[in-house]
Amino acid sequence: MAATTLGLTSSSKLKFSFPVTSSSYSFPHNQFLSPRFNFSIETTEKSVKSTFNKKNQSPCLVSSKRSKIWGFRLSGYLELDRGGLVTTDDDEKEDEMSEGFFEAIEEMERMVREPSDVLQEMNTRLTSRELKLVLVYFSQEGRDSWCALEVFEWLQKENRVDKETMELMISIMCGWVKKLITDDNHVVSDVVDLLMEMDCAGLKPCFSMIEKVISLYWEVEKREMGVMFVKEVLKRGIEYTVEDNDSGKGGPIGYLAWKMMIDEDYSGAVKLVIDFRDCGLKPEPYSYLIAMSAVVKELNEFSKALRKLKGYTKANLVAELDIENVRLIEKYQSDLVEVGVKLSNWVTQEGSTAQSELVHERLLAMYICAGQGIEAERQLWEMKLVGKQPGRELYDVVLAICASQKEANAVTRLLSGMEFASSVVKKKTLSWLLRGYVKGGHFEDAYETLVKMLDMGLCPEYLDRAAVLQGLRKRIQQTGNYESYLKLLKRLFEENLTGPALVYMHIDRYNLWIIKML
């Protein structure tokens, strides 16, 4: 009689080959398992009948109960670093299972004695591989998952949990969690209860597992339940281990905020962190830094929207903003900055020295996006005081903001030491200064900066020269002062940066045009 195709072979031999199938529960190895280990489980509804090996005339399964035991199929693959099992081919040597293995499962299924008592009695008769299969058997849908936890707890007490067994149990637990979350009728407390049972069985949840649960809620678009899950974890005080590479993720609250930032819900991420603190669930200090990044992103997006609105206004596509709307815009920006400052204070009070240093970077970015030059300049000096040297481009950006607001003292401080810089750096810095003056409408200062660049042998960009000339020309129509305009035209001609200019003036009284070539 031929052996069945449910993963069993003749003479009480169980095939332990693991090809991955699309119908199995699959757990991405990059989430919980090492790159060399993956495990999946596939159940079938058929039961195995007793079959006999013609050669040895011995039963494959010695009883109908064992037929029921192996009415499931194992599929997946295992790859181990050293030793152990590596079977992915049907032609590879099959591994015999001992009688003790079947007896142990049958005894535990009777539920007459505690699983730990059964395993203790058969400790010497079960191999490490057979113990793993016991875990797999009781993790199947329709089996008693409590037995799987009991088996793992006993393995922990007997010090028989190696890295491979730990990864196997984690993958099994992840399958249970995923099944719960994808069930539309589940409640959050069920998932948290499962994590607590893991802890009781000696499988302490790691932060990556908390991450996975949150990600699963995001994938099935149950984000509110993801937030409720984190609240329940914190309320119950479930402890979790943190791997070295998790130290910068801010814990469960920070990870929630980060997920919201990925979805571009920046204001929602900020509100989330503050709400957790207000309800007494103290976020990790790094969560405040993530929320500060969200403030910066929100300010940046808001600034982009304002620039678009101004462009539509210039094109006469929309009406100009009235006083009330301008006030609301300014209030929204100031409120965001206020929240950012509040978050920075919490980091300083509760975080480490390294986190406190990061605060100044976030504050600098926040003030730059909000266009607050003086505050941004202060953060530059604060960064230097804590030993963090800002890049030259940050100085230039802040310089342009201060110039647009005509903060003369701040401009002087930011330009100090420029005389020792290279010509490339000087040109870049003065170009930023010039553009700041242009943006703020300070064309006389822009003219002086342009002349200063020419005196230093630096050639201003064409667009910068054109912007200053256009601004001075408009000023002639407003004030009648044309001296700066003529001087700049003459200087640019001398530097061979422009061709001859035709200047004309109209005297209304005499209806007379005066034209002169420069």
Side-chain angles (χ1 to χ4, degrees), residues 226-243:
V227 176
M228 291 169 60
F229 164 74
V230 172
K231 285 185 177 180
E232 193 70 17
V233 166
L234 296 177
K235 284 178 181 177
R236 296 201 196 183
I238 296 178
E239 296 183 359
Y240 53 87
T241 58
V242 178
E243 295 85 0

Side-chain angles (χ1 to χ4, degrees), residues 232-285:
E232 193 70 17
V233 166
L234 296 177
K235 284 178 181 177
R236 296 201 196 183
I238 296 178
E239 296 183 359
Y240 53 87
T241 58
V242 178
E243 295 85 0
D244 292 338
N245 58 348
D246 292 329
S247 58
K249 295 182 179 177
I253 299 175
Y255 188 69
L256 272 177
W258 180 79
K259 292 291 285 185
M260 297 179 90
M261 282 184 64
I262 295 298
D263 294 339
E264 298 185 356
D265 184 8
Y266 306 123
S267 57
V270 176
K271 186 177 183 299
L272 174 89
V273 174
I274 295 175
D275 286 348
F276 266 96
R277 183 182 174 91
D278 289 344
C279 67
L281 300 174
K282 198 172 183 181
E284 312 79 5

Side-chain angles (χ1 to χ4, degrees), residues 313-468:
T313 303
K314 286 183 179 180
N316 294 322
L317 296 175
V318 296
E320 290 191 7
L321 296 174
D322 57 23
I323 296 176
E324 180 61 19
N325 282 324
V326 170
R327 186 188 67 80
L328 290 174
I329 288 172
E330 292 175 350
K331 184 179 185 304
Y332 183 71
Q333 281 187 321
S334 63
D335 287 347
L336 279 174
V337 171
E338 186 178 335
V339 169
V341 172
K342 184 194 296 184
L343 291 165
S344 70
N345 292 334
W346 290 341
V347 178
T348 304
Q349 294 166 9
E350 303 169 16
S352 63
T353 303
Q355 290 171 340
S356 298
E357 291 175 357
L358 294 173
V359 166
H360 299 299
E361 291 183 2
R362 303 295 197 282
L363 286 174
L364 173 60
M366 184 180 72
Y367 288 128
I368 287 175
C369 290
Q372 298 185 15
I374 295 296
E375 291 297 331
E377 185 211 2
R378 187 167 69 87
Q379 292 306 316
L380 286 174
W381 307 130
E382 292 281 357
M383 288 175 67
K384 291 194 71 172
L385 286 175
V386 298
K388 208 167 183 65
Q389 181 63 44
R392 183 67 238 178
E393 63 277 2
L394 290 176
Y395 282 96
D396 292 340
V397 172
V398 175
L399 175 66
I401 295 172
C402 291
S404 68
Q405 297 165 352
K406 206 168 184 180
E407 297 286 351
N409 293 333
V411 168
T412 302
R413 288 191 296 267
L414 291 167
L415 287 176
S416 61
M418 190 188 67
E419 60 272 14
F420 303 109
S422 65
S423 58
V424 175
V425 173
K426 287 179 181 178
K427 178 181 177 180
K428 193 173 182 180
T429 297
L430 290 174
S431 295
W432 276 97
L433 177 63
L434 186 150
R435 292 163 192 165
Y437 283 135
V438 169
K439 184 177 180 181
H442 312 301
F443 294 105
E444 193 66 33
D445 296 294
Y447 155 71
E448 293 175 1
T449 304
L450 193 57
V451 171
K452 183 177 180 179
M453 292 178 70
L454 295 172
D455 290 340
M456 297 172 68
L458 305 175
C459 180
E461 298 293 335
Y462 170 76
L463 291 178
D464 293 336
R465 303 194 306 264
V468 176

